Amino acid sequence: MTTASATIDKNGLDALIKALAGRGFRVVGPTLRDSAIVYDDIGSAKDLPEGWTDEQDGGTYRLVRRNDEALFGYAVGPHSWKKFLHPPIQSLWKAARSGKLTVHVEGAPSVPEKFALFGVRACELHAIAIQDKVFLHGPHGDPHYRARRENAFIVAVNCSKAGGTCFCVSMNTGPRVGSGFDIAITELADRGRFVVEAGTERGREVLAELPQQQASNEDAAAAGKVIEKTAASMGRHMKSDDVHRLLLANLEHPRWDDVAERCLACANCTMVCPTCFCTTVDESTDLTGTESSRTRRWDSCFTIEFSYLHGGTVRPTTRSRYRQWMTHKLATWHDQFGTSGCVGCGRCITWCPVGIDITQEVAAIRGEPT
Amino acid sequence: MARKTIKVDYLARVEGEGAFKVVVRDGAVKQAELRIFEPPRFYEAFLRGRSFMEVPDITARICGICPIAYMMGSTHAIEKVLGIKLDGQLRELRRLIYCGEWIESHVLHAFMLHAPDFLGYDSAIAMARDHGDLVKKALDFKKTGNEIMTTVGGREIHPINVRVGGFYRVPSRRELAPLLDKLKAARDFAVEAVRVVSKFDFPDCERDYEFVALRHPNEYPLNEGRLVSNKGLDIPIEDYDETFEETHVEHSTALHSHIRGRGAYFTGPMARYSLNFDKLTPTAQQAAREAGLGPTCNNPFRSIVIRLVEALYAAEEAIRIIEAYEPPDRPFVEGSVRAGSGCHATEAPRGICYHRYTLDDTGTVTFARIAAPTSQNQPTIENDLTSFVGGWLDLPDKELQHRCEQAIRNYDPCISCSTHFLKLDVDRG
Amino acid sequence: MGKKPRLAVWKFASCDGCQLSLLDCEDELLAVAGAVDIAYFPEATRGEIKGKYDVSLVEGSITTAHDAERILDVRTRSRVLITIGACATAGGIQALRNFADVKEFASVVYAHPEYIHTLETSTPIAAHVKVEYELRGCPIDKRQLVEVISAFIAGRRPVTPAHSTCIECKLKGNVCVMVAHGKPCLGPVTHAGCGALCPSYDRGCYGCFGPQETPNTVSLSRQMAALGMSEENLKRIYSTFNAYSEDFRKERERHGS
Amino acid sequence: MVPRVARVRRRTREIADVSTLTLEMEDGRPFRYEPGQFNMMTAFDVGEVAISISGDPDRAEDGLVHTIREVGIVSGAVARLTTGEAVGIRGPYGRGWPVDVARGSDVVIMAGGLGLAPLRPLIYAVLNARKDFGKVVLLYGARNPAEILYRAELEQWRRRLDVDIQVTVDTARDDWYGSVGVVTTLVPRATFDARNTIAYVCGPEIMMRFAAAALRDKGIQDESMYLSMERNMKCGIGLCGHCQMGPVFVCRDGPVFRNDHLRPLMSVKEL
Ligand SMILES: Cc1cc2nc3c(=O)[nH]c(=O)nc-3n(C[C@H](O)[C@H](O)[C@H](O)COP(=O)(O)OP(=O)(O)OC[C@H]3O[C@@H](n4cnc5c(N)ncnc54)[C@H](O)[C@@H]3O)c2cc1C
Ligand code: SF4
Ligand code: SF4
Ligand code: SF4
């Protein structure tokens, strides 16, 4: 559902952030930190990375100045929104013990923070939709995810620049935002304006409060152009239509050995991936033996413990662990959740310390020259 | 007469491992030896061939109790080679992190190691059963020192944020701010702590020491100053090697230092205090006076009071630095790598810690020398003990041993930097 | 729970930092002392309970013949022996002697090397006796120390994962210093535990927790070389506090002797 | 994700390192489940592990029954719980043994070692409705006579005469009069109508591989065989990712799988 669009300027954008904060949302969005664009609390449009962009490639990310004042002129960075909706550490329950026989267990409350996710890209909307399938649509849901997710307000942004490792076009996930947002923004950097549209009723309500103008046909056309240009400049490509069959038919391909020689089994790819959802649990106890608790923490299929069974681990080699990761993302995810587990955001390529590139690995297995 | 060696228990609550041997002949103490067994670790040897950038991280590992001292000594010495001199907020941040270490180390020694002696407990933990509130507050004080180190340095033991030229990352005002309230509470406790320990039962004892410490025109010395003594010494740090000499004695893996041609000297809190009383903050001076200390102090048994006066000073100094803090524009200053030799001394909690390095034109260390405070003090400790033990010879061995232990603890001998257990050997001939 | 377990703390060649970590647990120290009998801990108490201990924390490496004997005694007196820190677990920085001539080392430091009695090598505790559990780090992380003690009391497995430091770094939300700043970092091959400290302070990890469970140092070195690290510095970066751990030792050797 | 509290009503030592706990839910209500399902059991302070339910599904009011081998810290803590102690229960989870598919057919049940525990609810279910099934064969292999689980019950069943019970051990001393050899050696001798048989197999993975092969040799199709898998599990409900085996989550899609689905997965090394 979209409505006739309007345009707002930077003040309007600032008003949007404040309107959301005023509605009790914790507004989180792109901001500069440690020479990267991360997702963190933002209080006003000033906190956005004005005039910055990024250069990304396998294993490298550099911020560079743009020659304009664009607020959204960069691709996705090291963080994804899962850090808010599916946080790295989640308390599950506490148990109080009095004596040996009495234990009282109390579930961690799912009092959710109300997040307004500001600046969500098309691939990221897809990633959120994928995590929804995992955490909401299976036989057992995750109450903590549900609470945060149901409250979240989403301000999406159409990408005006493809990153060096982006391949959403190949994965049919972008760069145009389709659905799943409350408000969508397209930045017309050269005109200092943003074309905005509402995707939901509450989005419409919020937009109505902002100082705005009717979008001219010209602005609307320019917004379309921005997206087209982005689509035409993807940093990476991957033929994805047959990848399920391709990978599952090549589980013993020599390329897995080749990648194992390079892969550090460091798990960065899984940590940065917006769809990776695996977790483990930690038991903790106090020194007096009266309280214990269980906490959930992001885990990765690259660790030895991940597949540990008494007497040994199912995937002792990096070869089998990398294969698990990649085949899960691109193939078995379809079997499990009816969708790809990869949205083509390119994070795993950029943030792999040694630049292992999922698109190249697929190409190599396909037998294409890499 | 047959040789009779009385072996007494281990000495605990000193950091490091050593033993104490007393040779008695004809009812008089002939010799007292502080034996340091800490296995040699050969830092000065394996520092050769390392890059200057690695030195602070490596030297930190000389001692887990005062890593900052080794990091400060080595960074400053190397900076002299590279032509770096820090000023402004970077210099202040270095003082701040050192204040953290002083607090941690002094409070650890005063309350965890030393106070139990005066109050008649085996340990601070045992002491906590009767003096719970005091121990808890002391732990909080110590923790505040540690928190300075973790905030500025990343962690309390072997901080990771100190580098040649400054820091890897400087804290924001927001990161330092939470320390202020804690430091203010710590300062208030420190005033009380000085008062509490000043009431301990101290033997009368006046020793004639040559105190050696750094002295700086504008501040209580931490990282900078000239080497001065109460007997006329006043030299730049560069003259250290000419003025002091280290000898190697058979009974110890720590080297012994002397002032050339003069003999033993004494460095550490008592020396610093006696040579720099005028540079303490008014609150610290007043706390010292109320504790019955003059501007100098020659009674080693009172060193515990001085440590806490210094901890009080460090808390106030930290407050001052944090209140005035503005993050510098860059976390470190880059120097130019060149061949050369540089030395420096700083005031570790236990006294002067001297470093000298020679680098080649690639910044590789070709020579390293480090003089830890405990080895500088060892001859003085032995002299003192020789004198004390003489008066205690009639005591039963168990009592004698306990006295010796307590006396040794006056010096807070961090034996791991030179060198743990102190085994007492009394050879009564 | 019955009788309180008896804890002993032992020191071999080391800087005292790891056992000091226990005294640095200001918030938990009294609770620890309530939960266990601190039966032997010379750095903190002159009280000593003789006999056997339920758990011994051992700091330091074996560098003298005397210590090689002493560790055997510690073992026979301990039900569970936990090594704490890089010295006890990998030989420590002093294990650099294992790649050098100790006599020459002694002559550099001491005027009378003949007074110095030391072994040619600095070796981890596990090279001498059976070790139930190893706590990594130079120094250990005090939260991990409390975790190990709490886990021991509760009879559970301590949560001290052996995966890469990168996972902790990402859990924290750090920006990768290698990818975003081009700084060489040992995080990908280093055992977790410190909470990714160095990268949180804008520097690369230098590996003070030793190798992770499946370190691929060869691939990482290749990348660090691409970032401009010289062979000499590659050798140095593996030659610190865990230089004598098998994985780092081998990688060290690949970069010249 | 939050366990319910149950209490140990009875603990029976089965064999050296295996105990059976009978539990009572704190709310007093019977715990209903399907044969082959499992629970996530928490030993408070220690941790949580996946454990199959080993009781009689038709007698849930008699308590919730689990049989546990002490292999490590958590399983050890669970197995050593004593009467009255609290234990955390999440479940029942997973897809268990399909019983209905075997009505009207012969039933072959093959168990190796502790694999008999997850199969016991199935055995009860079949015996409780004995006339619905054709021949019922139980082939059971243990490492040695001392390792034979549920010995008394096996004797009881043997006396019923309407089940064929064969037990073998890998190794034995002279005082063992039964058969010696791995469990697959029992297959050729067992009598059932291979074209109309449903087989249920549980045991170590390697045992199940050989068992399936032996049953296939005997003419049973993979489509008629069900195996129960084990994988590392942290949640039991398809959220933690640990139990993946290619396209399946063992906790959610299994642990019991029909072998025509499972075999291709089992044949990939380190999947
Ligand atoms: C569906 C299912 C049903 C099971 N039913 C039973 C049963 O009825 N009786 C029984 O005794 N055992 C059963 N197991 C195996 C039992 O879960 C393991 O023996 C137990 O997890 C070992 O944990 P530990 O901590 O004692 O051992 P450790 O070897 O110390 O294991 C460490 C951790 O690895 C994981 N792990 C290790 N082995 C296994 C395993 N085989 N399966 C899953 N996770 C494992 C656990 O998270 C465990 O806490 C079952 C496993 C599964 C998956
Ligand atoms: S697999 Fe890589 S490209 Fe795909 S969604 Fe995950 S991080 Fe992005
Ligand atoms: S693919 Fe890259 S990021 Fe992922 S585990 Fe391997 S080395 Fe680490
Ligand atoms: S990041 Fe690496 S070097 Fe730094 S503290 Fe952690 S393990 Fe040690």
Side-chain angles (χ1 to χ4, degrees):
Chain A
M1 173 185 63
T2 52
T3 47
S5 51
T7 65
I8 58 174
D9 59 12
K10 274 188 191 167
N11 292 330
L13 204 71
D14 198 51
L16 172 56
I17 295 171
K18 292 182 170 137
L20 292 168
R23 283 174 148 74
F25 287 104
R26 179 178 157 199
V27 187
V28 288
T31 192
L32 277 188
R33 195 184 82 205
D34 299 333
S35 311
I37 294 162
V38 301
Y39 295 151
D40 211 336
D41 294 272
I42 53 171
S44 72
K46 277 205 214 60
D47 294 332
L48 299 171
E50 186 180 280
W52 286 101
T53 190
D54 50 50
E55 278 171 4
Q56 304 194 30
D57 204 343
T60 131
Y61 177 100
R62 291 292 181 278
L63 278 187
V64 278
R65 270 276 169 206
R66 290 172 61 98
N67 46 22
D68 62 16
E69 275 84 55
L71 294 180
F72 299 104
Y74 40 84
V76 295
H79 291 174
S80 75
W81 304 99
K82 81 175 176 187
K83 79 177 222 189
F84 302 111
L85 299 177
H86 174 49
I89 308 261
Q90 167 72 53
S91 160
L92 296 179
W93 50 263
K94 281 190 167 39
R97 176 192 279 276
S98 45
K100 226 176 166 180
L101 306 182
T102 319
V103 173
H104 176 74
V105 185
E106 203 164 326
S110 337
V111 259
E113 267 180 295
K114 276 175 70 179
F115 288 110
L117 310 180
F118 193 93
V120 183
R121 306 306 177 107
C123 61
E124 300 181 310
L125 286 174
H126 282 267
I128 292 171
I130 290 171
Q131 288 213 327
D132 286 353
K133 289 201 173 175
V134 176
F135 290 122
L136 302 180
H137 302 159
H140 301 270
D142 170 7
H144 303 289
Y145 182 87
R146 181 181 303 279
R148 291 195 185 85
R149 177 69 178 97
E150 284 176 351
N151 275 314
F153 189 100
I154 294 184
V155 178
V157 171
N158 281 305
C159 289
S160 58
K161 179 199 175 255
T165 57
C166 288
F167 58 107
C168 59
V169 168
S170 305
M171 305 311 289
N172 299 317
T173 57
R176 181 189 295 279
V177 300
S179 61
F181 56 85
D182 295 290
I183 292 174
I185 299 176
T186 314
E187 178 167 38
L188 305 175
D190 50 343
R191 305 171 187 214
R193 285 198 289 278
F194 306 86
V195 177
V196 291
E197 57 184 315
T200 59
E201 193 47 48
R202 63 176 183 170
R204 201 181 341 272
E205 282 167 27
V206 175
L207 275 187
E209 288 170 23
L210 310 180
Q212 55 185 285
Q213 292 196 312
Q214 181 87 39
S216 65
N217 287 341
E218 222 188 7
D219 283 347
K225 278 263 159 40
V226 164
I227 303 169
E228 273 167 36
K229 198 174 128 251
T230 308
S233 56
M234 291 283 118
R236 296 285 198 276
H237 296 276
M238 185 169 89
K239 182 168 147 40
S240 67
D241 51 356
D242 63 345
V243 72
H244 178 271
R245 187 204 52 78
L246 176 77
L247 295 187
L248 296 186
N250 283 290
L251 293 175
E252 306 299 345
H253 197 282
R255 183 71 182 185
W256 302 118
D257 293 307
D258 182 85
V259 71
E261 193 272 322
R262 286 171 283 138
C263 175
L264 306 167
C266 64
N268 277 306
C269 46
T270 54
M271 298 285 121
V272 295
C273 178
T275 69
C276 275
F277 59 86
C278 294
T279 53
T280 187
V281 289
D282 295 333
E283 215 76 0
S284 73
T285 49
D286 66 355
L287 282 161
T288 56
T290 51
E291 220 180 76
S292 65
S293 60
R294 188 172 296 157
T295 309
R296 183 170 80 183
R297 154 169 69 87
W298 285 358
D299 200 4
S300 168
C301 51
F302 281 94
T303 71
I304 286 281
E305 269 190 40
F306 190 83
S307 63
Y308 178 81
L309 288 180
H310 185 73
T313 203
V314 175
R315 298 181 204 108
T317 60
T318 302
R319 171 187 186 273
S320 58
R321 283 180 266 154
Y322 185 86
R323 185 182 68 184
Q324 160 63 24
W325 178 71
M326 197 167 107
T327 54
H328 188 214
K329 292 279 110 170
L330 295 172
T332 54
W333 208 292
H334 284 280
D335 305 302
Q336 297 167 351
F337 301 105
T339 168
S340 167
C342 172
V343 297
C345 73
R347 285 184 179 86
C348 55
I349 307 172
T350 299
W351 299 98
C352 172
V354 293
I356 293 173
D357 181 340
I358 190 170
T359 64
Q360 264 182 30
E361 297 311 313
V362 170
I365 288 177
R366 200 188 290 288
E368 290 170 8
T370 54
Chain B
M1 204 197 274
R3 263 178 88 92
K4 191 171 124 214
T5 300
I6 303 166
K7 262 198 182 175
V8 206
D9 217 334
Y10 295 106
L11 180 86
R13 286 190 273 123
V14 297
E15 307 97 350
E17 186 171 352
F20 184 51
K21 183 176 171 190
V22 185
V23 180
V24 183
R25 289 291 178 277
D26 304 325
V29 179
K30 194 155 166 267
Q31 194 189 354
E33 280 178 6
L34 187 60
R35 305 173 138 239
I36 294 184
F37 305 145
E38 180 69 15
R41 289 183 291 154
F42 305 118
Y43 276 85
E44 287 136 313
F46 61 65
L47 277 164
R48 295 169 308 162
R50 306 302 299 214
S51 155
F52 72 95
M53 278 298 285
E54 300 180 287
V55 174
D57 292 325
I58 295 177
T59 53
R61 269 69 181 186
I62 292 174
C63 176
I65 298 134
C66 52
I68 294 290
Y70 290 93
M71 298 183 107
M72 288 300 134
S74 55
T75 49
H76 282 91
I78 291 170
E79 284 160 10
K80 285 184 183 163
V81 183
L82 308 188
I84 300 172
K85 175 125 180 68
L86 295 192
D87 54 15
Q89 296 292 322
L90 286 176
R91 181 180 187 275
E92 293 284 82
L93 276 177
R94 284 199 164 163
R95 273 184 81 78
L96 177 62
I97 196 170
Y98 221 149
C99 285
E101 179 157 291
W102 274 30
I103 294 174
E104 179 274 330
S105 174
H106 279 347
V107 179
L108 171 78
H109 185 263
F111 282 100
M112 312 303 292
L113 312 178
H114 209 179
D117 279 343
F118 291 99
L119 296 174
Y121 297 94
D122 279 348
S123 68
I125 292 161
M127 195 168 87
R129 283 193 277 273
D130 302 326
H131 303 270
D133 191 50
L134 183 68
V135 173
K136 242 198 78 31
K137 282 183 175 156
L139 284 170
D140 282 343
F141 190 9
K142 178 169 167 297
K143 186 176 166 197
T144 304
N146 275 335
E147 283 180 7
I148 294 177
M149 286 197 279
T150 47
T151 309
V152 180
R155 62 183 166 200
E156 52 277 82
I157 302 172
H158 308 332
I160 48 82
N161 191 27
V162 173
R163 57 165 278 170
V164 173
F167 297 87
Y168 287 91
R169 176 171 82 72
V170 289
S172 62
R173 279 187 62 85
R174 205 169 50 155
E175 285 174 283
L176 293 182
L179 291 170
L180 271 181
D181 281 349
K182 297 177 187 174
L183 277 162
K184 287 176 181 164
R187 174 189 56 197
D188 295 347
F189 169 70
V191 171
E192 183 192 334
V194 170
R195 197 172 37 76
V196 169
V197 300
S198 73
K199 306 228 163 75
F200 288 171
D201 189 16
F202 301 112
D204 285 332
C205 167
E206 285 291 314
R207 304 283 304 159
D208 178 29
Y209 295 122
E210 174 153 14
F211 285 134
V212 175
L214 288 178
R215 180 156 172 93
H216 186 276
N218 309 324
E219 61 197 15
Y220 201 74
L222 283 167
N223 276 322
E224 288 167 29
R226 287 172 66 85
L227 285 161
V228 301
S229 86
N230 54 337
K231 298 196 174 169
L233 183 78
D234 185 355
I235 56 164
I237 291 167
E238 283 66 29
D239 292 352
Y240 182 99
D241 284 324
E242 277 170 30
T243 314
F244 301 92
E245 92 187 312
E246 274 190 328
T247 53
H248 185 197
V249 292
E250 182 161 18
H251 63 260
S252 185
T253 51
L255 300 167
H256 281 51
S257 288
H258 301 270
I259 301 183
R260 282 183 210 271
R262 288 232 281 273
Y265 61 98
F266 193 21
T267 171
M270 287 176 61
R272 265 190 314 254
Y273 173 90
S274 300
L275 293 165
N276 293 283
F277 179 80
D278 59 325
K279 301 293 179 213
L280 287 168
T281 54
T283 325
Q285 287 180 352
Q286 191 186 341
R289 282 198 203 95
E290 282 171 15
L293 293 174
T296 61
C297 173
N298 285 53
N299 181 350
F301 291 89
R302 285 187 187 271
S303 62
I304 183 170
V305 188
I306 290 178
R307 273 185 201 98
L308 289 170
V309 169
E310 285 201 331
L312 166 59
Y313 169 80
E316 293 207 273
E317 177 68 355
I319 294 170
R320 182 192 67 75
I321 294 169
I322 295 173
E323 282 178 340
Y325 180 67
E326 282 299 333
D329 354 315
R330 3 164 238 188
F332 57 86
V333 175
E334 203 98 55
S336 46
V337 178
R338 56 191 175 208
S341 185
C343 69
H344 195 74
T346 69
E347 285 286 356
R350 285 162 195 76
I352 289 167
C353 185
Y354 173 77
H355 293 242
R356 187 150 70 83
Y357 302 95
T358 305
L359 307 184
D360 70 12
D361 57 6
T362 65
T364 301
V365 177
T366 56
F367 171 87
R369 194 163 99 70
I370 300 164
T374 298
S375 65
Q376 299 181 58
N377 282 342
Q378 200 171 336
T380 298
I381 302 175
E382 290 182 352
N383 291 348
D384 279 9
L385 290 169
T386 306
S387 137
F388 302 154
V389 174
W392 297 335
L393 281 177
D394 301 337
L395 295 173
D397 278 345
K398 207 169 152 101
E399 178 71 28
L400 170 61
Q401 179 232 353
H402 197 180
R403 288 281 181 97
C404 289
E405 283 186 23
Q406 289 182 355
I408 290 170
R409 273 196 287 274
N410 286 331
Y411 308 92
D412 188 5
C414 172
I415 299 183
S416 63
C417 12
S418 38
T419 72
H420 221 108
F421 316 112
L422 235 96
K423 201 163 69 186
L424 179 66
D425 246 337
V426 183
D427 172 1
R428 293 181 191 269
Chain C
M1 204 175 291
K3 244 181 64 204
K4 286 203 281 183
R6 301 171 76 188
L7 174 93
V9 183
W10 308 93
K11 178 193 153 70
F12 293 86
S14 67
C15 79
D16 280 46
C18 289
Q19 46 173 325
L20 184 68
S21 300
L22 188 54
L23 297 177
D24 275 348
C25 299
E26 291 93 0
D27 292 335
E28 300 87 4
L29 185 61
L30 296 178
V32 169
V36 299
D37 260 333
I38 299 180
Y40 183 75
F41 186 9
E43 188 162 293
T45 176
R46 59 189 304 270
E48 182 187 351
I49 306 171
K50 297 230 190 292
K52 298 224 180 221
Y53 306 101
D54 295 296
V55 51
S56 278
L57 302 176
V58 177
E59 170 189 280
S61 66
I62 304 298
T63 58
T64 64
H66 172 67
D67 280 353
E69 293 285 315
R70 195 156 62 90
I71 189 61
L72 300 178
D73 177 53
V74 170
R75 176 70 266 188
T76 52
R77 295 169 66 184
S78 316
R79 191 158 65 80
V80 170
L81 192 158
I82 301 175
T83 60
I84 55 172
C87 296
T89 305
I93 184 87
Q94 57 272 20
L96 289 177
R97 74 173 67 181
N98 304 3
F99 312 114
D101 173 3
V102 176
K103 285 201 191 72
E104 193 267 341
F105 267 25
S107 72
V108 168
V109 180
Y110 298 99
H112 295 280
E114 70 278 11
Y115 296 166
I116 300 295
H117 304 286
T118 184
L119 298 172
E120 298 282 313
T121 54
S122 165
T123 41
I125 301 302
H128 300 263
V129 297
K130 178 166 171 262
V131 169
E132 272 77 20
Y133 197 77
E134 295 184 330
L135 204 50
R136 299 287 197 90
C138 179
I140 54 170
D141 176 270
K142 68 180 187 183
R143 284 155 306 185
Q144 288 211 333
L145 179 61
V146 173
E147 167 62 13
V148 163
I149 295 173
S150 313
F152 175 80
I153 291 168
R156 65 179 166 84
R157 209 159 64 101
V159 182
T160 54
H163 55 56
S164 70
T165 299
C166 295
I167 293 188
E168 290 189 297
C169 200
K170 288 287 186 286
L171 255 55
K172 234 173 152 176
N174 284 348
V175 173
C176 179
V177 298
M178 185 138 81
V179 171
H181 310 159
K183 294 182 183 138
C185 177
L186 283 190
V189 298
T190 299
H191 194 288
C194 69
L197 269 182
C198 293
S200 314
Y201 280 80
D202 222 0
R203 71 179 291 193
C205 166
Y206 55 86
C208 80
F209 273 61
Q212 58 120 310
E213 54 196 10
T214 54
N216 187 344
T217 52
V218 176
S219 174
L220 183 66
S221 295
R222 202 186 296 136
Q223 184 71 7
M224 293 195 297
L227 291 173
M229 217 171 171
S230 65
E231 274 293 292
E232 186 175 21
N233 280 336
L234 279 169
K235 181 177 178 185
R236 284 173 175 155
I237 201 170
Y238 292 103
S239 307
T240 63
F241 318 102
N242 293 280
Y244 199 57
S245 68
E246 191 182 343
D247 296 301
F248 284 4
R249 184 172 72 216
K250 284 195 182 138
E251 188 59 25
R252 185 185 178 277
E253 282 160 10
R254 289 187 53 246
H255 302 282
S257 52
Chain D
M1 268 167 270
V2 183
R4 291 191 284 158
V5 177
R7 224 157 263 297
V8 177
R9 191 193 294 161
R10 192 167 56 243
R11 170 170 178 254
T12 323
R13 181 154 291 280
E14 301 283 357
I15 54 180
D17 54 355
V18 179
S19 302
T20 294
L21 300 180
T22 306
L23 311 172
E24 194 168 346
M25 300 311 290
E26 205 160 48
D27 63 15
R29 282 209 290 251
F31 191 97
R32 307 261 168 225
Y33 62 94
E34 302 291 327
Q37 283 194 298
F38 66 95
N39 279 324
M40 296 299 290
M41 297 183 79
T42 293
F44 287 104
D45 295 355
V46 183
E48 186 174 53
V49 285
I51 303 287
S52 301
I53 304 169
S54 66
D56 183 340
D58 297 321
R59 297 174 61 176
E61 54 291 334
D62 289 358
L64 170 63
V65 182
H66 283 286
T67 303
I68 306 117
R69 166 165 269 145
E70 300 172 28
V71 299
I73 290 185
V74 186
S75 55
V78 174
R80 285 192 300 271
L81 287 169
T82 54
T83 310
E85 278 192 279
V87 54
I89 296 288
R90 295 192 301 121
Y93 293 140
R95 296 196 196 170
W97 309 109
V99 183
D100 290 341
V101 296
R103 289 188 208 274
S105 309
D106 290 356
V107 172
V108 174
I109 297 171
M110 270 183 89
L114 201 70
L116 188 56
L119 282 165
R120 193 167 68 162
L122 171 78
I123 300 172
Y124 287 130
V126 167
L127 297 184
N128 292 347
R130 179 67 191 87
K131 59 177 182 354
D132 292 0
F133 303 89
K135 278 198 174 125
V136 176
V137 181
L138 170 63
L139 309 178
Y140 177 43
R143 232 173 298 152
N144 58 56
E147 291 269 310
I148 296 173
L149 198 61
Y150 307 140
R151 220 171 171 151
E153 215 162 8
L154 285 170
E155 282 309 313
Q156 242 172 356
W157 291 333
R158 201 195 297 275
R159 284 196 294 272
R160 284 178 65 128
L161 303 173
D162 57 356
V163 263
D164 176 9
I165 304 227
Q166 302 293 334
V167 178
T168 179
V169 297
D170 296 350
T171 54
R173 286 188 314 234
D174 296 346
D175 52 356
W176 169 255
Y177 301 103
S179 51
V180 175
V182 292
V183 67
T184 43
T185 58
L186 299 174
V187 176
R189 285 181 269 156
T191 55
F192 49 83
D193 175 5
R195 282 157 312 159
N196 186 23
T197 294
I198 300 294
Y200 303 93
V201 186
C202 188
E205 212 166 307
I206 179 88
M207 167 264 170
M208 292 201 286
R209 229 180 265 267
F210 283 102
L215 293 170
R216 221 164 17 242
D217 286 347
K218 190 83 172 173
I220 303 182
Q221 302 292 310
D222 284 330
E223 287 79 358
S224 303
M225 275 184 231
Y226 293 88
L227 278 64
S228 184
M229 290 303 294
E230 270 184 24
R231 278 296 177 268
N232 186 300
M233 285 177 193
K234 294 294 166 192
C235 74
I237 51 177
L239 301 181
C240 80
H242 285 245
C243 68
Q244 287 175 71
M245 229 184 135
V248 303
F249 288 101
V250 171
C251 69
R252 192 186 77 183
D253 305 320
V256 175
F257 293 95
R258 211 168 76 184
N259 203 35
D260 54 328
H261 299 145
L262 189 61
R263 198 171 154 199
L265 306 180
M266 277 175 92
S267 66
V268 182
K269 207 172 144 237
E270 300 182 3
L271 187 65

